[in-house]
Amino acid sequence: FSDGDVIFMSPHLPIVPANNYPDAARQDFQMGEDPKKELQQAIEIASQDLQAGEQFVFYLHGHARPDAVRLSKTEELSAQELKNLLAQIPTNVEQIIILDTCYSGSFLDELAGVANRIVITSADAQAHAWSTETMSFADIFIRQLKYGNSVDEAFELTESTIINESKIFGAQRPQLDDTQDGLYDNNDGSLARQTFIGGKKVHSALPPEIIEIHPTIKLAEGETTATLWVKAIPDFNGMKKVRAILVNEHDKVTAYQGENTDFTRRELTLNLNHNLQRYEIDYDQLHTATQWQIFYQAQNMEGEWSEMSSGYAVSEKVDIEAQLNKTTYQVGDKLQFDVAVSGEETVDLYVGVIFPEGFYQTIAYPLTFSESNVLQPYKTGIQLTGGQSYGILSLELPAIPTGDYQVCGLLTMAQSDPYDVTNWLKLDCREFHFTR
């Protein structure tokens, strides 16, 4: 696809291969004050350009509840509204609708009944969609598409991986409907098996790819050494070199320009570990800074380099402890929830409650609960100088649903995006049980 084939909508700038740096010129809509209007405009543009026999791909990633997806902190798009928007797309084109959200399977019935339409969801109508730093529905599905698999082949491989990785994905179950009946069952797959995003192609050997990176490395006080590691494809026989380039907050890098970036050159060659099936190296100079970004790249035997992928290492100069006065409560019991924080850093503080059903609500000072699954700060720009405590909740419990709850405290880098886990400094939760 060329840039002109793609309409990109997000509050965040797109990260564009092959250099992997943000490109404002390719952000067509910013999802600002009126995201529904912007989405309407985007689909109008797409529908005007489509000709019979062409392909329309709609990919949506975000937060959702059953039958509704969040477009902003204050506005939702219902399944019925999405159905009405997509009704603008000519029915004589091939439609591939990919919904990558929690509860996305709840949209299947609304989007049914349209000829030539394939609907793919990352979860069913009851489950959350989970994402780690190295694995998610989109990571697996899009990788399989890049290998030239049909939509159905990519879906089946993704579904199998998610089911087999239950420790990561829990009850998440992707769905596919290409019979337009609003259900995922054994009858689905025939149309998707003949469908290739962008059309069927003869693929030459793909460039190497970094497929997994170590989680964010959290360095305890006084810790200076860590193992940097990645997994990459093709297999070891087809790889010439895997390298890491390290950058910290003291370096003068104004903008990332891929191979042409003027890094302070700390380049390491990673070694092969056959037992763990990965490339790794121990680096012992992490004491010279508190925040590190590590750019990884692999080179195959033909000399072709992969796209850059990045990992992180941060020094844990802060601590947080969620505190409860009891672990089991009944109606009328007093619940006391405090957090104790310490360190030498400027941070944002988030506190909240995780409910038995799996959703959470955060609390803003002094006592304002957020909508479900919204990270609103309790306080921002806190300058930690030693230890201090915050009394979050002190109340007699009414008759709430029975089950296991958690209260949590989270410290993030000041003025950072809390939905990006690489900005998290410390998280601590305490569980309690409510019984009648």
Side-chain angles (χ1 to χ4, degrees), residues 282-316:
D282 291 334
Y283 185 64
D284 62 359
Q285 298 296 312
L286 295 170
H287 63 281
T288 59
T290 61
Q291 298 176 28
W292 293 85
Q293 185 170 13
I294 307 113
F295 294 93
Y296 294 104
Q297 200 171 28
Q299 185 183 41
N300 63 18
M301 298 305 292
E302 290 73 34
E304 191 171 7
W305 286 98
S306 70
E307 296 176 10
M308 287 274 192
S309 299
S310 58
Y312 300 87
V314 296
S315 296
E316 288 193 326

PDB file of all heavy atoms in Angstrom, residues 282-316:
ATOM      1  N   ASP A 282      25.296  -9.580  28.378  1.00  0.00           N
ATOM      2  CA  ASP A 282      25.272  -8.912  29.678  1.00  0.00           C
ATOM      3  C   ASP A 282      25.963  -7.557  29.545  1.00  0.00           C
ATOM      4  O   ASP A 282      27.116  -7.487  29.093  1.00  0.00           O
ATOM      5  CB  ASP A 282      25.976  -9.760  30.736  1.00  0.00           C
ATOM      6  CG  ASP A 282      25.213 -11.028  31.073  1.00  0.00           C
ATOM      7  OD1 ASP A 282      23.985 -11.033  30.892  1.00  0.00           O
ATOM      8  OD2 ASP A 282      25.851 -12.016  31.476  1.00  0.00           O
ATOM      9  N   TYR A 283      25.253  -6.496  29.934  1.00  0.00           N
ATOM     10  CA  TYR A 283      25.821  -5.145  29.863  1.00  0.00           C
ATOM     11  C   TYR A 283      25.973  -4.619  31.282  1.00  0.00           C
ATOM     12  O   TYR A 283      25.017  -4.641  32.071  1.00  0.00           O
ATOM     13  CB  TYR A 283      24.904  -4.227  29.054  1.00  0.00           C
ATOM     14  CG  TYR A 283      25.475  -2.849  28.827  1.00  0.00           C
ATOM     15  CD1 TYR A 283      26.631  -2.661  28.077  1.00  0.00           C
ATOM     16  CD2 TYR A 283      24.851  -1.723  29.367  1.00  0.00           C
ATOM     17  CE1 TYR A 283      27.155  -1.390  27.861  1.00  0.00           C
ATOM     18  CE2 TYR A 283      25.362  -0.450  29.154  1.00  0.00           C
ATOM     19  CZ  TYR A 283      26.509  -0.289  28.407  1.00  0.00           C
ATOM     20  OH  TYR A 283      27.035   0.960  28.201  1.00  0.00           O
ATOM     21  N   ASP A 284      27.188  -4.130  31.623  1.00  0.00           N
ATOM     22  CA  ASP A 284      27.487  -3.791  33.018  1.00  0.00           C
ATOM     23  C   ASP A 284      27.711  -2.301  33.258  1.00  0.00           C
ATOM     24  O   ASP A 284      28.276  -1.914  34.281  1.00  0.00           O
ATOM     25  CB  ASP A 284      28.718  -4.577  33.493  1.00  0.00           C
ATOM     26  CG  ASP A 284      29.971  -4.236  32.685  1.00  0.00           C
ATOM     27  OD1 ASP A 284      29.885  -3.415  31.746  1.00  0.00           O
ATOM     28  OD2 ASP A 284      31.033  -4.814  32.999  1.00  0.00           O
ATOM     29  N   GLN A 285      27.241  -1.453  32.321  1.00  0.00           N
ATOM     30  CA  GLN A 285      27.463  -0.020  32.484  1.00  0.00           C
ATOM     31  C   GLN A 285      26.148   0.751  32.679  1.00  0.00           C
ATOM     32  O   GLN A 285      26.061   1.939  32.363  1.00  0.00           O
ATOM     33  CB  GLN A 285      28.194   0.521  31.249  1.00  0.00           C
ATOM     34  CG  GLN A 285      29.571  -0.084  31.036  1.00  0.00           C
ATOM     35  CD  GLN A 285      30.529   0.245  32.165  1.00  0.00           C
ATOM     36  OE1 GLN A 285      30.633   1.403  32.575  1.00  0.00           O
ATOM     37  NE2 GLN A 285      31.211  -0.756  32.685  1.00  0.00           N
ATOM     38  N   LEU A 286      25.140   0.102  33.211  1.00  0.00           N
ATOM     39  CA  LEU A 286      23.844   0.762  33.357  1.00  0.00           C
ATOM     40  C   LEU A 286      23.792   1.751  34.512  1.00  0.00           C
ATOM     41  O   LEU A 286      22.790   2.430  34.696  1.00  0.00           O
ATOM     42  CB  LEU A 286      22.741  -0.299  33.520  1.00  0.00           C
ATOM     43  CG  LEU A 286      22.529  -1.186  32.288  1.00  0.00           C
ATOM     44  CD1 LEU A 286      21.616  -2.344  32.622  1.00  0.00           C
ATOM     45  CD2 LEU A 286      21.969  -0.384  31.130  1.00  0.00           C
ATOM     46  N   HIS A 287      24.874   1.846  35.285  1.00  0.00           N
ATOM     47  CA  HIS A 287      24.900   2.790  36.398  1.00  0.00           C
ATOM     48  C   HIS A 287      25.121   4.226  35.926  1.00  0.00           C
ATOM     49  O   HIS A 287      24.946   5.165  36.704  1.00  0.00           O
ATOM     50  CB  HIS A 287      26.037   2.415  37.368  1.00  0.00           C
ATOM     51  CG  HIS A 287      27.403   2.500  36.753  1.00  0.00           C
ATOM     52  ND1 HIS A 287      27.887   1.507  35.927  1.00  0.00           N
ATOM     53  CD2 HIS A 287      28.363   3.447  36.806  1.00  0.00           C
ATOM     54  CE1 HIS A 287      29.097   1.835  35.517  1.00  0.00           C
ATOM     55  NE2 HIS A 287      29.413   3.012  36.030  1.00  0.00           N
ATOM     56  N   THR A 288      25.475   4.416  34.665  1.00  0.00           N
ATOM     57  CA  THR A 288      25.817   5.761  34.191  1.00  0.00           C
ATOM     58  C   THR A 288      24.602   6.604  33.847  1.00  0.00           C
ATOM     59  O   THR A 288      24.737   7.788  33.523  1.00  0.00           O
ATOM     60  CB  THR A 288      26.724   5.670  32.958  1.00  0.00           C
ATOM     61  OG1 THR A 288      26.044   4.945  31.933  1.00  0.00           O
ATOM     62  CG2 THR A 288      28.028   4.941  33.295  1.00  0.00           C
ATOM     63  N   ALA A 289      23.387   6.021  33.887  1.00  0.00           N
ATOM     64  CA  ALA A 289      22.164   6.769  33.605  1.00  0.00           C
ATOM     65  C   ALA A 289      20.995   6.049  34.253  1.00  0.00           C
ATOM     66  O   ALA A 289      21.119   4.903  34.698  1.00  0.00           O
ATOM     67  CB  ALA A 289      21.953   6.907  32.097  1.00  0.00           C
ATOM     68  N   THR A 290      19.834   6.710  34.297  1.00  0.00           N
ATOM     69  CA  THR A 290      18.658   6.108  34.929  1.00  0.00           C
ATOM     70  C   THR A 290      17.624   5.612  33.928  1.00  0.00           C
ATOM     71  O   THR A 290      16.783   4.805  34.271  1.00  0.00           O
ATOM     72  CB  THR A 290      17.981   7.111  35.877  1.00  0.00           C
ATOM     73  OG1 THR A 290      17.561   8.257  35.121  1.00  0.00           O
ATOM     74  CG2 THR A 290      18.930   7.554  36.980  1.00  0.00           C
ATOM     75  N   GLN A 291      17.666   6.109  32.685  1.00  0.00           N
ATOM     76  CA  GLN A 291      16.699   5.697  31.679  1.00  0.00           C
ATOM     77  C   GLN A 291      17.437   5.356  30.386  1.00  0.00           C
ATOM     78  O   GLN A 291      18.117   6.195  29.812  1.00  0.00           O
ATOM     79  CB  GLN A 291      15.677   6.810  31.413  1.00  0.00           C
ATOM     80  CG  GLN A 291      14.849   7.175  32.630  1.00  0.00           C
ATOM     81  CD  GLN A 291      13.924   8.343  32.354  1.00  0.00           C
ATOM     82  OE1 GLN A 291      13.510   8.568  31.229  1.00  0.00           O
ATOM     83  NE2 GLN A 291      13.612   9.095  33.387  1.00  0.00           N
ATOM     84  N   TRP A 292      17.261   4.114  29.938  1.00  0.00           N
ATOM     85  CA  TRP A 292      17.931   3.634  28.738  1.00  0.00           C
ATOM     86  C   TRP A 292      16.899   3.169  27.724  1.00  0.00           C
ATOM     87  O   TRP A 292      15.925   2.501  28.069  1.00  0.00           O
ATOM     88  CB  TRP A 292      18.838   2.451  29.072  1.00  0.00           C
ATOM     89  CG  TRP A 292      20.012   2.784  29.937  1.00  0.00           C
ATOM     90  CD1 TRP A 292      20.048   2.859  31.311  1.00  0.00           C
ATOM     91  CD2 TRP A 292      21.334   3.091  29.494  1.00  0.00           C
ATOM     92  NE1 TRP A 292      21.307   3.189  31.734  1.00  0.00           N
ATOM     93  CE2 TRP A 292      22.126   3.337  30.647  1.00  0.00           C
ATOM     94  CE3 TRP A 292      21.938   3.164  28.236  1.00  0.00           C
ATOM     95  CZ2 TRP A 292      23.473   3.662  30.566  1.00  0.00           C
ATOM     96  CZ3 TRP A 292      23.287   3.483  28.150  1.00  0.00           C
ATOM     97  CH2 TRP A 292      24.042   3.726  29.316  1.00  0.00           C
ATOM     98  N   GLN A 293      17.141   3.511  26.471  1.00  0.00           N
ATOM     99  CA  GLN A 293      16.396   2.914  25.366  1.00  0.00           C
ATOM    100  C   GLN A 293      17.395   2.130  24.539  1.00  0.00           C
ATOM    101  O   GLN A 293      18.463   2.647  24.187  1.00  0.00           O
ATOM    102  CB  GLN A 293      15.702   3.967  24.504  1.00  0.00           C
ATOM    103  CG  GLN A 293      14.815   3.353  23.415  1.00  0.00           C
ATOM    104  CD  GLN A 293      13.943   4.376  22.706  1.00  0.00           C
ATOM    105  OE1 GLN A 293      14.149   5.585  22.834  1.00  0.00           O
ATOM    106  NE2 GLN A 293      12.969   3.910  21.950  1.00  0.00           N
ATOM    107  N   ILE A 294      17.049   0.871  24.243  1.00  0.00           N
ATOM    108  CA  ILE A 294      17.958  -0.004  23.520  1.00  0.00           C
ATOM    109  C   ILE A 294      17.326  -0.353  22.182  1.00  0.00           C
ATOM    110  O   ILE A 294      16.243  -0.950  22.128  1.00  0.00           O
ATOM    111  CB  ILE A 294      18.262  -1.293  24.307  1.00  0.00           C
ATOM    112  CG1 ILE A 294      18.752  -0.954  25.727  1.00  0.00           C
ATOM    113  CG2 ILE A 294      19.319  -2.121  23.604  1.00  0.00           C
ATOM    114  CD1 ILE A 294      17.817  -1.375  26.814  1.00  0.00           C
ATOM    115  N   PHE A 295      17.967   0.039  21.089  1.00  0.00           N
ATOM    116  CA  PHE A 295      17.486  -0.251  19.740  1.00  0.00           C
ATOM    117  C   PHE A 295      18.120  -1.552  19.256  1.00  0.00           C
ATOM    118  O   PHE A 295      19.346  -1.687  19.236  1.00  0.00           O
ATOM    119  CB  PHE A 295      17.845   0.893  18.788  1.00  0.00           C
ATOM    120  CG  PHE A 295      17.151   2.181  19.100  1.00  0.00           C
ATOM    121  CD1 PHE A 295      17.760   3.122  19.917  1.00  0.00           C
ATOM    122  CD2 PHE A 295      15.893   2.460  18.587  1.00  0.00           C
ATOM    123  CE1 PHE A 295      17.136   4.319  20.220  1.00  0.00           C
ATOM    124  CE2 PHE A 295      15.257   3.656  18.871  1.00  0.00           C
ATOM    125  CZ  PHE A 295      15.875   4.579  19.691  1.00  0.00           C
ATOM    126  N   TYR A 296      17.262  -2.504  18.857  1.00  0.00           N
ATOM    127  CA  TYR A 296      17.740  -3.799  18.385  1.00  0.00           C
ATOM    128  C   TYR A 296      17.506  -3.932  16.876  1.00  0.00           C
ATOM    129  O   TYR A 296      16.497  -3.463  16.344  1.00  0.00           O
ATOM    130  CB  TYR A 296      17.013  -4.930  19.110  1.00  0.00           C
ATOM    131  CG  TYR A 296      17.316  -5.005  20.584  1.00  0.00           C
ATOM    132  CD1 TYR A 296      16.400  -4.566  21.533  1.00  0.00           C
ATOM    133  CD2 TYR A 296      18.526  -5.519  21.031  1.00  0.00           C
ATOM    134  CE1 TYR A 296      16.677  -4.633  22.886  1.00  0.00           C
ATOM    135  CE2 TYR A 296      18.822  -5.596  22.385  1.00  0.00           C
ATOM    136  CZ  TYR A 296      17.891  -5.148  23.310  1.00  0.00           C
ATOM    137  OH  TYR A 296      18.183  -5.212  24.645  1.00  0.00           O
ATOM    138  N   GLN A 297      18.439  -4.619  16.211  1.00  0.00           N
ATOM    139  CA  GLN A 297      18.327  -4.830  14.778  1.00  0.00           C
ATOM    140  C   GLN A 297      19.052  -6.119  14.409  1.00  0.00           C
ATOM    141  O   GLN A 297      20.105  -6.429  14.962  1.00  0.00           O
ATOM    142  CB  GLN A 297      18.927  -3.651  14.013  1.00  0.00           C
ATOM    143  CG  GLN A 297      18.464  -3.528  12.579  1.00  0.00           C
ATOM    144  CD  GLN A 297      18.911  -2.222  11.949  1.00  0.00           C
ATOM    145  OE1 GLN A 297      19.927  -1.651  12.336  1.00  0.00           O
ATOM    146  NE2 GLN A 297      18.163  -1.747  10.968  1.00  0.00           N
ATOM    147  N   ALA A 298      18.458  -6.866  13.480  1.00  0.00           N
ATOM    148  CA  ALA A 298      19.035  -8.137  13.041  1.00  0.00           C
ATOM    149  C   ALA A 298      19.396  -8.052  11.565  1.00  0.00           C
ATOM    150  O   ALA A 298      18.720  -7.377  10.777  1.00  0.00           O
ATOM    151  CB  ALA A 298      18.039  -9.277  13.272  1.00  0.00           C
ATOM    152  N   GLN A 299      20.474  -8.761  11.178  1.00  0.00           N
ATOM    153  CA  GLN A 299      20.943  -8.782   9.796  1.00  0.00           C
ATOM    154  C   GLN A 299      21.029 -10.224   9.312  1.00  0.00           C
ATOM    155  O   GLN A 299      21.610 -11.075   9.995  1.00  0.00           O
ATOM    156  CB  GLN A 299      22.319  -8.111   9.700  1.00  0.00           C
ATOM    157  CG  GLN A 299      22.849  -7.979   8.281  1.00  0.00           C
ATOM    158  CD  GLN A 299      24.250  -7.385   8.247  1.00  0.00           C
ATOM    159  OE1 GLN A 299      25.089  -7.735   9.092  1.00  0.00           O
ATOM    160  NE2 GLN A 299      24.513  -6.499   7.298  1.00  0.00           N
ATOM    161  N   ASN A 300      20.433 -10.501   8.144  1.00  0.00           N
ATOM    162  CA  ASN A 300      20.514 -11.861   7.618  1.00  0.00           C
ATOM    163  C   ASN A 300      21.794 -12.063   6.809  1.00  0.00           C
ATOM    164  O   ASN A 300      22.594 -11.129   6.638  1.00  0.00           O
ATOM    165  CB  ASN A 300      19.263 -12.213   6.803  1.00  0.00           C
ATOM    166  CG  ASN A 300      19.088 -11.332   5.572  1.00  0.00           C
ATOM    167  OD1 ASN A 300      20.031 -10.681   5.108  1.00  0.00           O
ATOM    168  ND2 ASN A 300      17.878 -11.321   5.033  1.00  0.00           N
ATOM    169  N   MET A 301      21.974 -13.263   6.290  1.00  0.00           N
ATOM    170  CA  MET A 301      23.220 -13.593   5.610  1.00  0.00           C
ATOM    171  C   MET A 301      23.382 -12.834   4.294  1.00  0.00           C
ATOM    172  O   MET A 301      24.490 -12.671   3.788  1.00  0.00           O
ATOM    173  CB  MET A 301      23.292 -15.099   5.337  1.00  0.00           C
ATOM    174  CG  MET A 301      23.273 -15.967   6.599  1.00  0.00           C
ATOM    175  SD  MET A 301      24.576 -15.537   7.784  1.00  0.00           S
ATOM    176  CE  MET A 301      26.019 -16.061   6.863  1.00  0.00           C
ATOM    177  N   GLU A 302      22.264 -12.330   3.746  1.00  0.00           N
ATOM    178  CA  GLU A 302      22.326 -11.538   2.523  1.00  0.00           C
ATOM    179  C   GLU A 302      22.656 -10.076   2.815  1.00  0.00           C
ATOM    180  O   GLU A 302      22.765  -9.259   1.898  1.00  0.00           O
ATOM    181  CB  GLU A 302      20.997 -11.618   1.764  1.00  0.00           C
ATOM    182  CG  GLU A 302      20.708 -12.977   1.141  1.00  0.00           C
ATOM    183  CD  GLU A 302      20.324 -14.021   2.170  1.00  0.00           C
ATOM    184  OE1 GLU A 302      19.678 -13.663   3.184  1.00  0.00           O
ATOM    185  OE2 GLU A 302      20.706 -15.200   1.980  1.00  0.00           O
ATOM    186  N   GLY A 303      22.802  -9.738   4.101  1.00  0.00           N
ATOM    187  CA  GLY A 303      23.149  -8.375   4.477  1.00  0.00           C
ATOM    188  C   GLY A 303      21.980  -7.455   4.709  1.00  0.00           C
ATOM    189  O   GLY A 303      22.156  -6.257   4.988  1.00  0.00           O
ATOM    190  N   GLU A 304      20.752  -7.966   4.641  1.00  0.00           N
ATOM    191  CA  GLU A 304      19.567  -7.126   4.807  1.00  0.00           C
ATOM    192  C   GLU A 304      19.237  -6.978   6.290  1.00  0.00           C
ATOM    193  O   GLU A 304      19.210  -7.967   7.032  1.00  0.00           O
ATOM    194  CB  GLU A 304      18.386  -7.739   4.054  1.00  0.00           C
ATOM    195  CG  GLU A 304      17.195  -6.821   3.949  1.00  0.00           C
ATOM    196  CD  GLU A 304      16.129  -7.361   3.020  1.00  0.00           C
ATOM    197  OE1 GLU A 304      16.271  -8.522   2.559  1.00  0.00           O
ATOM    198  OE2 GLU A 304      15.165  -6.644   2.752  1.00  0.00           O
ATOM    199  N   TRP A 305      18.992  -5.735   6.714  1.00  0.00           N
ATOM    200  CA  TRP A 305      18.707  -5.450   8.119  1.00  0.00           C
ATOM    201  C   TRP A 305      17.199  -5.436   8.373  1.00  0.00           C
ATOM    202  O   TRP A 305      16.407  -5.030   7.526  1.00  0.00           O
ATOM    203  CB  TRP A 305      19.281  -4.095   8.526  1.00  0.00           C
ATOM    204  CG  TRP A 305      20.768  -4.081   8.682  1.00  0.00           C
ATOM    205  CD1 TRP A 305      21.681  -3.660   7.762  1.00  0.00           C
ATOM    206  CD2 TRP A 305      21.521  -4.504   9.829  1.00  0.00           C
ATOM    207  NE1 TRP A 305      22.962  -3.796   8.249  1.00  0.00           N
ATOM    208  CE2 TRP A 305      22.896  -4.309   9.522  1.00  0.00           C
ATOM    209  CE3 TRP A 305      21.181  -5.025  11.075  1.00  0.00           C
ATOM    210  CZ2 TRP A 305      23.911  -4.610  10.417  1.00  0.00           C
ATOM    211  CZ3 TRP A 305      22.192  -5.334  11.967  1.00  0.00           C
ATOM    212  CH2 TRP A 305      23.536  -5.134  11.643  1.00  0.00           C
ATOM    213  N   SER A 306      16.821  -5.857   9.569  1.00  0.00           N
ATOM    214  CA  SER A 306      15.428  -5.764   9.999  1.00  0.00           C
ATOM    215  C   SER A 306      15.087  -4.319  10.350  1.00  0.00           C
ATOM    216  O   SER A 306      15.964  -3.455  10.437  1.00  0.00           O
ATOM    217  CB  SER A 306      15.207  -6.637  11.236  1.00  0.00           C
ATOM    218  OG  SER A 306      15.869  -6.068  12.368  1.00  0.00           O
ATOM    219  N   GLU A 307      13.802  -4.079  10.575  1.00  0.00           N
ATOM    220  CA  GLU A 307      13.394  -2.816  11.157  1.00  0.00           C
ATOM    221  C   GLU A 307      13.921  -2.747  12.591  1.00  0.00           C
ATOM    222  O   GLU A 307      14.148  -3.765  13.243  1.00  0.00           O
ATOM    223  CB  GLU A 307      11.871  -2.696  11.166  1.00  0.00           C
ATOM    224  CG  GLU A 307      11.245  -2.675   9.785  1.00  0.00           C
ATOM    225  CD  GLU A 307       9.733  -2.644   9.833  1.00  0.00           C
ATOM    226  OE1 GLU A 307       9.179  -2.452  10.943  1.00  0.00           O
ATOM    227  OE2 GLU A 307       9.100  -2.819   8.788  1.00  0.00           O
ATOM    228  N   MET A 308      14.109  -1.521  13.070  1.00  0.00           N
ATOM    229  CA  MET A 308      14.532  -1.325  14.452  1.00  0.00           C
ATOM    230  C   MET A 308      13.383  -1.654  15.412  1.00  0.00           C
ATOM    231  O   MET A 308      12.230  -1.313  15.151  1.00  0.00           O
ATOM    232  CB  MET A 308      14.960   0.124  14.691  1.00  0.00           C
ATOM    233  CG  MET A 308      16.282   0.497  14.066  1.00  0.00           C
ATOM    234  SD  MET A 308      17.651   0.074  15.165  1.00  0.00           S
ATOM    235  CE  MET A 308      18.992   0.953  14.340  1.00  0.00           C
ATOM    236  N   SER A 309      13.706  -2.309  16.515  1.00  0.00           N
ATOM    237  CA  SER A 309      12.767  -2.512  17.615  1.00  0.00           C
ATOM    238  C   SER A 309      13.466  -2.061  18.889  1.00  0.00           C
ATOM    239  O   SER A 309      14.698  -2.118  18.973  1.00  0.00           O
ATOM    240  CB  SER A 309      12.359  -3.982  17.737  1.00  0.00           C
ATOM    241  OG  SER A 309      11.724  -4.428  16.554  1.00  0.00           O
ATOM    242  N   SER A 310      12.715  -1.619  19.864  1.00  0.00           N
ATOM    243  CA  SER A 310      13.375  -1.051  21.036  1.00  0.00           C
ATOM    244  C   SER A 310      12.882  -1.662  22.340  1.00  0.00           C
ATOM    245  O   SER A 310      11.724  -2.062  22.468  1.00  0.00           O
ATOM    246  CB  SER A 310      13.201   0.469  21.086  1.00  0.00           C
ATOM    247  OG  SER A 310      11.845   0.829  21.093  1.00  0.00           O
ATOM    248  N   GLY A 311      13.806  -1.745  23.307  1.00  0.00           N
ATOM    249  CA  GLY A 311      13.514  -2.149  24.671  1.00  0.00           C
ATOM    250  C   GLY A 311      13.993  -1.063  25.616  1.00  0.00           C
ATOM    251  O   GLY A 311      14.609  -0.074  25.198  1.00  0.00           O
ATOM    252  N   TYR A 312      13.730  -1.255  26.905  1.00  0.00           N
ATOM    253  CA  TYR A 312      14.018  -0.210  27.878  1.00  0.00           C
ATOM    254  C   TYR A 312      14.626  -0.801  29.144  1.00  0.00           C
ATOM    255  O   TYR A 312      14.363  -1.945  29.510  1.00  0.00           O
ATOM    256  CB  TYR A 312      12.734   0.553  28.246  1.00  0.00           C
ATOM    257  CG  TYR A 312      12.072   1.213  27.061  1.00  0.00           C
ATOM    258  CD1 TYR A 312      11.167   0.515  26.269  1.00  0.00           C
ATOM    259  CD2 TYR A 312      12.372   2.530  26.718  1.00  0.00           C
ATOM    260  CE1 TYR A 312      10.573   1.107  25.169  1.00  0.00           C
ATOM    261  CE2 TYR A 312      11.776   3.139  25.619  1.00  0.00           C
ATOM    262  CZ  TYR A 312      10.886   2.419  24.853  1.00  0.00           C
ATOM    263  OH  TYR A 312      10.306   3.013  23.756  1.00  0.00           O
ATOM    264  N   ALA A 313      15.431   0.039  29.801  1.00  0.00           N
ATOM    265  CA  ALA A 313      15.944  -0.272  31.129  1.00  0.00           C
ATOM    266  C   ALA A 313      15.862   1.005  31.955  1.00  0.00           C
ATOM    267  O   ALA A 313      16.284   2.071  31.499  1.00  0.00           O
ATOM    268  CB  ALA A 313      17.383  -0.774  31.063  1.00  0.00           C
ATOM    269  N   VAL A 314      15.300   0.913  33.159  1.00  0.00           N
ATOM    270  CA  VAL A 314      15.147   2.089  34.017  1.00  0.00           C
ATOM    271  C   VAL A 314      15.574   1.738  35.435  1.00  0.00           C
ATOM    272  O   VAL A 314      15.393   0.609  35.903  1.00  0.00           O
ATOM    273  CB  VAL A 314      13.690   2.613  34.033  1.00  0.00           C
ATOM    274  CG1 VAL A 314      13.278   3.099  32.658  1.00  0.00           C
ATOM    275  CG2 VAL A 314      12.730   1.535  34.523  1.00  0.00           C
ATOM    276  N   SER A 315      16.157   2.708  36.101  1.00  0.00           N
ATOM    277  CA  SER A 315      16.533   2.531  37.504  1.00  0.00           C
ATOM    278  C   SER A 315      15.327   2.818  38.384  1.00  0.00           C
ATOM    279  O   SER A 315      14.628   3.813  38.187  1.00  0.00           O
ATOM    280  CB  SER A 315      17.669   3.491  37.870  1.00  0.00           C
ATOM    281  OG  SER A 315      18.833   3.194  37.141  1.00  0.00           O
ATOM    282  N   GLU A 316      15.083   1.921  39.324  1.00  0.00           N
ATOM    283  CA  GLU A 316      13.950   2.095  40.230  1.00  0.00           C
ATOM    284  C   GLU A 316      14.380   2.971  41.411  1.00  0.00           C
ATOM    285  O   GLU A 316      14.874   2.475  42.418  1.00  0.00           O
ATOM    286  CB  GLU A 316      13.431   0.746  40.709  1.00  0.00           C
ATOM    287  CG  GLU A 316      12.690  -0.026  39.629  1.00  0.00           C
ATOM    288  CD  GLU A 316      11.923  -1.205  40.188  1.00  0.00           C
ATOM    289  OE1 GLU A 316      12.405  -1.812  41.170  1.00  0.00           O
ATOM    290  OE2 GLU A 316      10.856  -1.529  39.659  1.00  0.00           O
TER     291      GLU A 316
END
